[in-house]
Amino acid sequence: MEVDFRIRMNEKLYLRDPELSVLGKKIVKQGLELIIKLGFEDFTFKKLAIQIDTTEASIYRYFENKHRLLTYLMAWHWSYLEQKMVFYTNNIKEPELRLRKILELLAAPATEKSGSDFITERLTYDLVMSEGAKAYMTKHVNLDNRDRLFKPYKDLCGRFAAAILEYNPKYKFAHSLASTLLETAHSQKYFMHHLPSLTDFGMEKDDKKLLRFLEALLFDSIKPAIKK
Amino acid sequence: MEVDFRIRMNEKLYLRDPELSVLGKKIVKQGLELIIKLGFEDFTFKKLAIQIDTTEASIYRYFENKHRLLTYLMAWHWSYLEQKMVFYTNNIKEPELRLRKILELLAAPATEKSGSDFITERLTYDLVMSEGAKAYMTKHVNLDNRDRLFKPYKDLCGRFAAAILEYNPKYKFAHSLASTLLETAHSQKYFMHHLPSLTDFGMEKDDKKLLRFLEALLFDSIKPAIKK
DNA sequence: CTAAAATGATAGTATTGCTATTATTAATAA
DNA sequence: TTATTAATAATAGCAATACTATCATTTTAG
């Protein structure tokens, strides 16, 4: 099933909307690829400019700096994921199945060609795993937050939390559990690839075990107290 | 109760052992403070050199670059925490109490003057919360890992996992759960301060709620299947 | 077709992230 | 104690980064 969502991005994320020009799209698309390839630290606008045959100055007309580009990409990812979550769960009435679907989306390596013409979900997923935290781990989090740059992440978390509360309205830590599972999905996957002894997943290519872990974490936490 | 541990650091972490000279200790101690003050991105050896009235070149004789200094500080923190964990739990026979103690140490804001003469635990705790992930989120994780720079973190995680298995030898994800709780302790605290809507803790100064959350997460996960 | 907007070309500047050299001071061993 | 070694300071320098500014040229939209 192939669906294309229209993602509405916060205007504070950019100086000039990259979706509205060929150059803008190239900056975002190839920027994403280059950040993944070089790592965020070694990535520069200069290198990107050379790769897409433009100038540093032109890129600076779209994004204040590389951190804003990263934040843009993360915001896009979270927005996309939220839309996907809505789309794939809103006809599921059973709270448990809904939650299972959500976890699948979180742990999923994302289908081949999903996303949009200029951003592919597969890549933002990799990015969020390997660089995601750097979007908010800065001295200027609070300012960025005031500009609502992290709203997509919070919305996603909020929706997840709401689904948790539908399953068990008495659970006391819905938001913390939701953000923990979001973070855990990425950190465990990262560990699995780079620091496997921090996990129990071995080096298996599929994410089934990770999904089992997330499910256990979630349902053991929110199952009503009296069982079996 | 005041205890001082001798932390043995991996030699790959530095070029010249900072513990063996006044200058070295100043670099580490004030480096820690300055990274927290400026944030890792804005922190430079130049700025540190000015602050401790030495030269950039002198600092480079101790640490290859600022990332190594960060990794050193993190390694110190994890080693210290592991020792503390051993010290405070090895006379506890009851697995559950042992785990509760471990969680306390993870969630704790750390006592006033603990640590050593040149590093204070309180500060490394702040650092691990706000910059910790940057130690391993790099393109060179695998190389750093080969040099065993993250061994202290893995050891801590391993010890935690062992305590989990003592409580419930059948639990299948001891390492993942341990690393998840470690990461969660920090990320939730960070969110609490900067992105509170990702949590359920409000802005309360004490960490009791966070501790309750971690306890719930842990024990709900590892409690034997049949209850009540 | 014209005006406005976007891009390209080029330059420049302060800071970062180093390395190298030599002089000076401190620690240590004979 | 002196001679030797080691650590630090002082200084310089360099390529890369992270921008900003200017002006010419092209593209686009009315």
Side-chain angles (χ1 to χ4, degrees):
Chain A
M1 197 193 306
E2 198 52 49
V3 199
D4 251 32
F5 303 117
R6 176 145 233 103
I7 308 292
R8 218 183 131 58
M9 303 294 288
N10 180 339
E11 293 182 5
K12 292 271 174 67
L13 286 163
Y14 50 75
L15 297 173
R16 201 205 288 315
D17 188 345
E19 286 194 61
L20 300 182
S21 73
V22 178
L23 181 62
K25 285 179 196 167
K26 272 206 316 203
I27 290 169
V28 171
K29 186 182 163 74
Q30 308 242 46
L32 170 55
E33 286 168 25
L34 198 59
I35 293 172
I36 289 171
K37 187 176 164 197
L38 303 177
F40 186 65
E41 282 70 35
D42 289 347
F43 168 83
T44 69
F45 277 177
K46 180 93 225 231
K47 289 171 184 167
L48 178 57
I50 290 166
Q51 175 154 320
I52 62 182
D53 198 44
T54 182
T55 61
E56 245 184 309
S58 296
I59 298 174
Y60 275 107
R61 284 190 199 103
Y62 283 86
F63 292 98
E64 238 175 286
N65 52 53
K66 68 175 180 174
H67 185 266
R68 275 293 156 105
L69 174 57
L70 178 68
T71 308
Y72 178 95
L73 290 164
M74 290 301 93
W76 186 93
H77 178 82
W78 299 125
S79 300
Y80 186 84
L81 203 58
E82 195 201 341
Q83 298 234 25
K84 224 172 138 177
M85 196 182 277
V86 173
F87 184 86
Y88 286 107
T89 64
N90 72 350
N91 55 344
I92 303 177
K93 290 287 159 274
E94 188 65 44
E96 180 177 335
L97 290 180
R98 197 134 38 144
L99 287 172
R100 289 195 186 279
K101 190 71 202 173
I102 289 174
L103 290 183
E104 247 176 66
L105 292 173
L106 293 188
T111 55
E112 261 319 294
K113 266 261 165 68
S114 55
S116 70
D117 52 335
F118 78 113
I119 306 188
T120 41
E121 195 198 352
R122 181 83 192 82
L123 291 178
T124 58
Y125 197 91
D126 281 356
L127 187 69
V128 88
M129 181 183 83
S130 57
E131 313 281 0
K134 291 170 192 168
Y136 58 75
M137 285 185 89
T138 68
K139 266 286 153 177
H140 47 88
V141 208
N142 296 339
L143 291 173
D144 289 353
N145 189 32
R146 200 167 305 151
D147 283 342
R148 315 212 168 289
L149 307 191
F150 309 120
K151 188 169 180 294
Y153 191 51
K154 291 155 143 192
D155 287 351
L156 180 68
C157 179
R159 216 172 264 280
F160 190 177
I164 288 172
L165 290 172
E166 270 179 59
Y167 179 98
N168 178 354
K170 297 229 170 123
Y171 184 68
K172 289 282 173 292
F173 306 109
H175 289 83
S176 284
L177 184 57
S179 58
T180 294
L181 287 164
L182 279 165
E183 294 288 313
T184 299
H186 306 118
S187 63
Q188 289 295 311
K189 193 174 263 201
Y190 186 81
F191 290 156
M192 184 169 145
H193 283 115
H194 302 291
L195 304 164
S197 60
L198 294 176
T199 74
D200 305 276
F201 307 139
M203 255 310 204
E204 299 150 50
K205 272 283 154 298
D206 78 319
D207 303 297
K208 267 179 208 148
K209 275 199 173 178
L210 171 58
L211 186 55
R212 294 293 157 266
F213 174 59
L214 295 176
E215 284 171 352
L217 214 51
L218 173 58
F219 290 108
D220 286 347
S221 290
I222 63 178
K223 257 179 193 145
I226 295 129
K227 313 179 210 180
K228 282 213 176 173
Chain B
M1 197 191 310
E2 198 52 48
V3 198
D4 250 31
F5 303 116
R6 176 144 232 104
I7 309 291
R8 217 183 133 56
M9 303 294 287
N10 180 339
E11 293 182 3
K12 292 272 175 66
L13 285 163
Y14 49 76
L15 297 172
R16 201 205 288 313
D17 189 345
E19 288 194 59
L20 301 181
S21 74
V22 179
L23 181 62
K25 285 181 196 165
K26 273 209 309 202
I27 290 169
V28 171
K29 188 182 161 72
Q30 309 242 49
L32 170 55
E33 285 168 24
L34 199 57
I35 292 173
I36 288 170
K37 187 177 164 196
L38 303 177
F40 186 64
E41 282 70 36
D42 289 347
F43 168 83
T44 69
F45 277 178
K46 180 94 226 233
K47 289 171 185 168
L48 177 58
I50 290 166
Q51 175 155 319
I52 63 183
D53 199 41
T54 183
T55 62
E56 242 183 309
S58 297
I59 298 175
Y60 274 106
R61 281 191 205 98
Y62 283 87
F63 293 98
E64 237 175 283
N65 51 53
K66 68 176 181 172
H67 185 265
R68 275 293 156 105
L69 174 57
L70 179 68
T71 308
Y72 178 96
L73 290 164
M74 290 301 94
W76 187 93
H77 178 81
W78 298 125
S79 302
Y80 186 84
L81 203 58
E82 194 200 343
Q83 298 231 28
K84 224 172 137 176
M85 197 181 277
V86 173
F87 184 86
Y88 286 108
T89 64
N90 72 350
N91 55 344
I92 303 177
K93 289 287 160 275
E94 188 65 46
E96 180 179 335
L97 289 180
R98 190 119 61 127
L99 287 171
R100 288 193 187 281
K101 190 72 203 171
I102 289 174
L103 289 183
E104 246 176 65
L105 292 173
L106 294 188
T111 56
E112 259 321 295
K113 266 260 163 73
S114 55
S116 71
D117 53 335
F118 77 113
I119 305 187
T120 40
E121 195 199 352
R122 180 81 191 84
L123 289 179
T124 59
Y125 196 90
D126 282 354
L127 188 68
V128 88
M129 182 183 83
S130 57
E131 314 281 359
K134 291 170 192 168
Y136 58 74
M137 285 184 93
T138 68
K139 265 286 153 177
H140 48 89
V141 208
N142 297 338
L143 292 171
D144 289 354
N145 189 33
R146 199 167 306 152
D147 283 341
R148 316 212 170 288
L149 306 191
F150 309 119
K151 187 169 180 296
Y153 190 51
K154 292 155 143 191
D155 288 350
L156 180 68
C157 179
R159 217 173 264 281
F160 190 178
I164 288 172
L165 289 171
E166 270 178 60
Y167 179 96
N168 177 357
K170 297 231 172 125
Y171 183 69
K172 289 282 172 290
F173 306 109
H175 290 84
S176 284
L177 184 58
S179 58
T180 294
L181 286 164
L182 280 165
E183 294 287 314
T184 299
H186 306 117
S187 62
Q188 289 294 311
K189 196 175 259 200
Y190 186 81
F191 292 156
M192 186 169 143
H193 283 115
H194 301 291
L195 303 163
S197 60
L198 294 175
T199 75
D200 306 276
F201 308 139
M203 255 309 205
E204 297 149 52
K205 272 279 155 299
D206 79 320
D207 303 297
K208 267 180 208 146
K209 275 198 171 179
L210 170 58
L211 186 55
R212 295 292 157 264
F213 173 60
L214 296 175
E215 284 171 351
L217 215 50
L218 173 59
F219 290 109
D220 286 346
S221 291
I222 64 178
K223 258 180 192 142
I226 295 128
K227 315 175 208 181
K228 282 210 178 179

